[in-house]
């Protein structure tokens, strides 16, 4: 049996090829989009129906442990019950059409839900006029701080 020389791996002084980051150009790769998020609630039906009613949307058919609200932009809020521990309040902001904003405020008033001009809930029964639009905050049945706004925030 003849000994065949094996290649020997030796470190090289030449630069090694580095992994390239994913393309960031809009034309090179599709944008990353939020598809869905779970919203914990003490009672998924009550919370989903509340928010859908305020926004003028429908609650979808149950999907496993989730009760979805389709926001119409490819994103669903999947309400999920969490009864064995407290709900950690979250903030959810919805960019809504100007022409539908007054109807949402009317529905909050009809439900007896106080809305506020600010996220700390110190200006009851008022809406804000930030960034040239209108906005309001309100609490859902599980304590989440919901926001409706007609203009997105201007970010630096």
């Amino acid at each position: 049996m003849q000994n065949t020389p094996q290649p020997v791996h030796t470190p090289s002084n030449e630069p090694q090829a580095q992994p390239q980051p994913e393309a960031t150009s809009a034309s090179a790769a599709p944008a990353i989009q939020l598809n869905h998020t779970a919203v914990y609630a003490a009672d998924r039906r009550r919370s989903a129906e509340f928010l859908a009613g305020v926004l003028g949307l429908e609650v979808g058919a149950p999907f496993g442990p989730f009760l979805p609200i389709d926001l119409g932009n490819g994103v669903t809020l999947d309400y999920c019950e969490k009864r064995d521990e407290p709900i950690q309040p979250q903030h959810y902001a919805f960019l809504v059409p100007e022409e539908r904003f007054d109807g949402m405020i009317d529905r909050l008033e009809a439900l007896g839900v106080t809305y506020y001009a600010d996220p700390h809930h110190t200006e009851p029964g008022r809406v804000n006029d930030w960034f040239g639009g209108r906005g309001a905050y309100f609490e859902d049945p599980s304590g989440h701080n919901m926001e409706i706004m007609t203009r997105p925030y201007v970010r630096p």
Side-chain angles (χ1 to χ4, degrees):
M1 191 162 164
Q2 189 177 20
N3 282 345
T4 307
Q6 298 296 315
V8 176
H9 178 50
T10 58
S12 167
N13 289 335
E14 294 180 32
Q16 298 293 316
Q18 297 296 315
Q20 297 298 311
E22 289 186 34
T24 56
S25 167
S27 63
I32 296 172
Q33 298 178 354
L34 180 65
N35 178 266
H36 66 275
T37 190
V39 180
Y40 291 111
D43 180 330
R44 72 179 187 169
R45 174 140 323 264
R46 179 174 176 229
S47 290
E49 287 178 352
F50 168 80
L51 184 63
V54 170
L55 297 178
L57 300 173
E58 299 290 326
V59 175
F63 181 72
F66 303 110
L67 195 57
I69 298 175
D70 183 344
L71 299 179
N73 63 343
V75 177
T76 59
L77 298 179
D78 293 336
Y79 276 86
C80 182
E81 285 188 11
K82 187 175 186 181
R83 293 182 180 217
D84 55 345
E85 54 188 280
I87 304 296
Q88 176 65 45
Q90 300 293 316
H91 173 66
Y92 297 92
F94 304 94
L95 183 60
V96 303
E98 175 68 41
E99 61 273 8
R100 294 178 62 189
F101 184 84
D102 289 330
M104 293 175 191
I105 294 296
D106 291 346
R107 288 188 286 276
L108 286 168
E109 289 176 346
L111 291 168
V113 175
T114 303
Y115 57 91
Y116 303 84
D118 66 305
H120 302 292
H121 297 191
T122 63
E123 299 179 58
R126 296 184 53 206
V127 300
N128 65 56
D129 60 358
W130 300 339
F131 306 105
R134 297 187 295 159
Y137 295 81
F138 57 95
E139 194 170 289
D140 87 336
S142 288
H144 297 301
N145 191 19
M146 302 299 194
E147 177 182 7
I148 53 175
M149 59 186 181
T150 61
R151 295 277 174 93
Y153 292 163
V154 177
R155 301 186 188 275

